[in-house]
Amino acid sequence: MRRVNVEELAQGIADGSRAAIARAITLVESTKPAHRAEAHHLLQLIAPHTGNAFRVGISGVPGAGKSTFVNAMGVKLIDERHHRVAVLAVDPSSSRTGGSILGDRTRMADLAARDDAFIRPSPSGGHLGGVARATRESMLVLEAAGYDVILVETVGVGQSEVAVSGMVDTFLMLQVARTGDQLQGIKRGILELADVIAITKADGDNEQAARVAARELSIAMKLITSDNEKRRAPVLTCSSYTGAGLDEVWDTVAKHRAELEEAGTLATRRLEQQQDWLWNMVRDELMEALRTSPEVRTTAEHVQAKLADESLSALEGAQEILAAFARSVSSLPWAERPGR
Ligand SMILES: Nc1nc2c(ncn2[C@@H]2O[C@H](COP(=O)(O)OP(=O)(O)O)[C@@H](O)[C@H]2O)c(=O)[nH]1
Ligand SMILES: [Mg+2]
């Protein structure tokens, strides 16, 4: 990526230029130190124009119908409710050439054709922390560009759910019912993150099974939430094919957000998210510095060799590696340099 004029980029975002938005997202996705510095500057410039969107997480096991749902719901929100809709994804396993994204692209063709939609696939590769950071910063770019609904699709394998619930206002969980089969892929920890649950593909032969599943899950949610103060997530059914139930799902999702706002908990929730992010970023930067430090690498090789011939304990080895890290810290861009 060639060098960017960050002020110009911020202006382009404010003007809603798709090219500027795409470039800004590419910039915040980059992990190169020079790009990170530019990204920080950019995020500072756009900060006053962020935070105004309704941030919604959408989760469910692969094949649950998330992308099809996002397409149908996104089109509805634009055409009928006059929103501007941005779609992001958190999928640490994805690669840009991989099948899942191509699949998503075709499943979201109707939405992609709308002027008021912006769809960005998950940043590829890397660890969850990096992907989540890029997604969160992309969300800020899209808010500054005037998108007022941000849908964040996640892959439904656990950790990415937790990351996404840490960046959205309302978390919508999609579930599928299979005839004669109990609900698949339900983990209690994940269900507890859900603010609203929808059983998808409630159409044709599957409609009845979806209703039964919704009833069962509703009862299960009662049990899960009975032991704490947590509000019980409502369970609905919908079909992205027929459109049945989509309005109810959105109304329920919007109601959750409205309740947060009325209770004053939206601000609290976002502040808690900021605090989590603060420490996530500190942890990520530290791990990255540790991973890339030449001193640490050299020392680690020694330590591992000594561990192998039992001339050193793990405890002593850890101390040596930390000492090597401490010696290298002063050369890091964010390290304070006392006495200068
Ligand atoms: N019958 C029916 N099939 C659906 C519906 N939504 C999605 N599907 C199908 O389910 C499969 C998985 O959908 P997809 O959106 O890619 O799921 P994702 O992996 O959760 O993003 C595809 O073959 C879709 O055509 C629906 O509302 N009704
Ligand atoms: Mg998908």
Side-chain angles (χ1 to χ4, degrees), residues 58-70 72 100 103-104 107-108 153-155 174 176 200-204 206 238-243 246:
I58 295 172
S59 173
V61 294
K66 297 177 294 295
S67 300
T68 313
F69 175 88
V70 165
S100 70
D104 285 353
R107 294 226 163 89
M108 294 192 199
E153 179 179 333
T154 182
V155 279
L174 301 183
V176 242
T200 54
K201 310 190 192 182
D203 46 49
N206 210 18
C238 68
S239 165
S240 308
Y241 281 9
T242 67
L246 290 182

Side-chain angles (χ1 to χ4, degrees), residues 175-180 199-213 237:
Q175 293 280 347
V176 242
R178 297 243 186 93
T179 1
I199 312 288
T200 54
K201 310 190 192 182
D203 46 49
D205 291 347
N206 210 18
E207 198 178 335
Q208 189 52 31
R211 277 186 216 298
V212 172
T237 59

